[in-house]
């Protein structure tokens, strides 16, 4: 529209521009936006029926946490919640403490960048170590780097903060999750949704990384000693990975990956494998065309699970507790929206057989219309989710009886 306003007379151009803006504003008021009315999250509790567990109760543990990204449980029962804007919040005795935890490094928050995942060291009781990922601001304050860091948490603040692994500084970034494998290693996701770094062996982005607890590449990583490859790389060819979990029975590594427009995946992570992005995808670009004419090719891994349309997947967990007998072994994946429609967030439940082959799936919590950013199993055997909203909340799911 503005391109048509190139005129010899500056006055006519300005008049035309004003008219066009008025017309555009009136059209915007008359034309409904994409999405459905999103009611505020009520005080709860909420009771829902489900396909196999049947009645569940969803309670609000804490709220007023702007756009949280991750939830972590500490051995003493405390919960830590990361805010993407750069705050770390503490829930103690069921109450969100008013002041953020002190001691975080400088963080640059924009789009999906900021303070990201959290994980208490498996030996936290002994060493008080907390691992986390975040977006580090560059020297000029514009570029960012995705970082794996650790610190000591004394119950009120972080001390001895160390950057263990730093990616290259770049103009864009994406989320990063971490999980501790049965092999004693740290697994970490990185994204590369808008460039070709996923296939670049010298880049840490668009990969699953596998490092020691000190952030070093172990000698048995698949690309150690291979020319041009970063030794921390475990797998490559990933887009944007906002969920990572270790199967509690088999030790298998599972990661969720955003397709662009459809083609969201859960991947079974195997050493040295290539998962295809941006060469292959089941999704389409945001403008409509397919990313690739065929979504498979020899030498590339296929997803374990697939969503078309997209659910914008995030945190995931395999349930292993006893409080939900009908859900044992089920995979739960947070979803931020369905089919690119705002207000359609959900918690996805997937049932597998013993060979990790899908049997059925169910969408939960859709009536809440909340973006589900993370899901964790608590030490009490219940499920907890966080909602990625301005008035973000921690929700507890338990049997209704």
């Amino acid at each position: 529209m503005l391109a048509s306003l190139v005129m010899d007379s500056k006055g006519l151009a300005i008049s035309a521009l004003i008219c066009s803006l008025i017309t555009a504003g009136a059209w915007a008021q008359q034309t409904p936006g994409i999405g459905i009315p999103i009611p505020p999250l009520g005080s709860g509790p909420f009771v829902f029926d489900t396909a196999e567990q049947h009645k569940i109760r969803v309670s609000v543990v804490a709220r007023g946490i702007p756009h949280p990204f991750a939830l972590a449980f500490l051995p003493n029962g405390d919960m830590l919640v990361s805010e993407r804007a750069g705050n770390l919040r503490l829930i103690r005795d069921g109450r969100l403490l008013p002041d953020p935890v002190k001691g975080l490094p400088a963080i640059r928050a924009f789009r999906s960048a900021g303070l990201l995942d959290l994980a208490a060291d498996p030996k936290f009781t002994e060493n008080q170590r907390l691992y986390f990922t975040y977006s580090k601001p560059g020297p000029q304050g514009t570029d960012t780097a995705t970082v794996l860091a650790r610190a000591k948490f004394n119950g009120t603040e972080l001390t001895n903060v160390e950057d263990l692994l730093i990616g290259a500084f770049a103009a864009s970034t994406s989320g990063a999750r971490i999980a501790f494998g049965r092999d004693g290693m740290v697994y970490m996701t990185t994204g590369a949704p808008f460039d070709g770094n996923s296939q670049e062996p010298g880049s840490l982005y668009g990969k699953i990384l596998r490092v020691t607890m000190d952030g070093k590449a172990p000698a048995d990583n698949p690309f150690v000693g291979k020319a041009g490859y970063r030794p921390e790389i475990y797998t490559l060819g990933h887009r944007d990975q906002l969920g990572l979990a270790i199967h509690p029975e088999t030790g298998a590594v599972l990661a969720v990956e955003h397709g662009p427009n459809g083609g969201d995946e859960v991947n079974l992570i195997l050493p040295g494998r290539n998962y295809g992005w941006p060469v292959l995808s089941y999704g389409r670009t945001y403008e409509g065309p397919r990313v690739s004419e065929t979504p498979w090719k020899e030498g590339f891994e296929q997803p374990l699970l697939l969503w078309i349309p997209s659910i914008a997947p995030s945190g995931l967990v395999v349930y292993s507790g006893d409080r939900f007998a009908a859900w044992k072994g089920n995979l739960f994946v947070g979803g931020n929206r369905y089919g690119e429609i705002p207000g359609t967030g959900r918690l996805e439940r997937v049932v597998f057989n013993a060979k990790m082959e899908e049997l059925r799936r169910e969408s939960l919590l859709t009536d809440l219309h909340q973006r589900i950013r993370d899901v964790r199993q608590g030490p009490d055997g219940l499920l907890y989710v966080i909602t990625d909203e301005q008035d973000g909340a921690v929700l507890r799911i338990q049997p209704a009886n």
Side-chain angles (χ1 to χ4, degrees):
M1 182 181 294
L2 297 181
S4 64
L5 297 178
V6 179
M7 302 179 180
D8 293 334
S9 170
K10 183 181 295 184
L12 289 175
I14 293 173
S15 298
L17 176 58
I18 292 172
C19 290
S20 69
L21 292 176
I22 293 173
T23 302
W27 180 86
Q29 292 177 358
Q30 296 170 5
T31 304
I34 297 174
I36 59 177
I38 303 174
L41 179 67
S43 58
F46 315 94
V47 177
F48 302 112
D49 199 7
T50 68
E52 290 170 80
Q53 181 63 37
H54 295 296
K55 296 292 185 180
I56 59 171
R57 177 179 285 108
V58 181
S59 305
V60 179
V61 176
R63 63 190 312 161
I65 309 171
H67 298 289
F69 188 88
L71 170 68
F73 293 90
L74 299 181
N76 67 350
D78 288 351
M79 288 183 270
L80 287 169
V81 182
S82 62
E83 292 179 5
R84 206 164 63 246
N87 289 323
L88 181 59
R89 306 299 299 276
L90 180 63
I91 299 173
R92 178 168 287 161
D93 298 326
R95 185 174 71 91
L96 177 68
L97 300 190
D99 297 323
V101 172
K102 298 179 181 178
L104 282 169
I107 294 170
R108 182 167 186 248
F110 72 102
R111 294 187 61 180
S112 59
L115 180 60
L116 303 169
D117 208 11
L118 306 167
D121 190 298
K123 298 180 179 180
F124 182 86
T125 303
E126 302 170 22
N127 59 30
Q128 292 79 53
R129 283 178 174 170
L130 181 72
Y131 285 74
F132 60 99
T133 54
Y134 75 98
S135 303
K136 187 181 187 70
Q140 306 303 319
T142 53
D143 290 353
T144 59
T146 301
V147 176
L148 170 67
R150 74 178 176 194
K152 285 196 171 185
F153 179 59
N154 63 12
T156 58
E157 65 178 332
L158 300 179
T159 60
N160 302 105
V161 177
E162 305 173 80
D163 288 343
L164 302 179
L165 184 63
I166 305 175
F169 287 96
S172 65
T173 187
S174 63
R177 294 282 186 184
I178 46 178
F180 300 112
R182 283 189 176 181
D183 54 6
M185 299 297 163
V186 181
Y187 291 80
M188 174 180 173
T189 71
T190 62
F194 306 117
D195 55 40
N197 275 327
S198 296
Q199 296 295 329
E200 288 297 325
S203 171
L204 293 180
Y205 295 132
K207 312 293 193 300
I208 299 281
L209 309 177
R210 177 177 179 261
V211 296
T212 68
M213 301 294 280
D214 294 324
K216 309 301 182 184
D220 60 347
N221 265 6
F223 299 108
V224 169
K226 190 170 182 179
Y229 281 78
R230 289 290 300 259
E232 302 91 347
I233 296 174
Y234 194 66
T235 61
L236 65 160
H238 301 284
R239 190 174 181 267
D240 205 5
Q241 305 177 93
L242 300 183
L244 183 67
I246 306 299
H247 196 291
E249 293 185 4
T250 66
V253 181
L254 303 171
V256 295
E257 182 172 333
H258 280 232
N261 188 351
D264 293 344
E265 305 172 352
V266 172
N267 289 310
L268 175 62
I269 302 302
L270 300 172
R273 306 295 178 89
N274 191 323
Y275 290 78
W277 181 260
V279 180
L280 303 173
S281 175
Y282 281 88
R284 297 175 179 269
T285 69
Y286 293 110
E287 295 75 27
R290 297 183 187 277
V291 172
S292 58
E293 287 302 314
T294 60
W296 60 85
K297 187 178 181 181
E298 186 176 354
F300 296 92
E301 294 298 305
Q302 285 292 293
L304 183 68
L305 294 174
L306 185 66
W307 280 272
I308 301 176
S310 170
I311 63 164
S314 197
L316 78 163
V317 69
V318 177
Y319 183 72
S320 61
D322 296 321
R323 301 294 298 276
F324 301 102
W327 286 354
K328 198 155 190 174
N330 290 185
L331 178 70
F332 290 84
V333 181
N336 288 273
R337 66 185 183 202
Y338 181 75
E340 303 296 324
I341 303 297
T344 55
R346 62 202 49 224
L347 180 66
E348 291 281 280
R349 181 181 71 91
V350 183
V351 183
F352 292 108
N353 64 16
K355 297 180 180 179
M356 288 294 287
E357 297 167 332
E358 180 186 352
L359 299 179
R360 53 193 174 274
R361 62 177 77 179
E362 179 182 21
S363 297
L364 308 173
L365 310 187
T366 55
D367 289 343
L368 297 180
H369 302 286
Q370 300 287 297
R371 293 163 55 87
I372 305 300
R373 178 57 69 188
D374 199 9
V375 54
R376 305 283 174 127
Q377 180 178 320
D380 53 8
L382 300 177
L383 286 172
Y384 292 77
V385 301
I386 57 175
T387 65
D388 186 2
E389 307 288 350
Q390 182 60 34
D391 181 22
V394 178
L395 305 179
R396 179 177 57 240
I397 304 172
Q398 61 192 93
N401 58 2

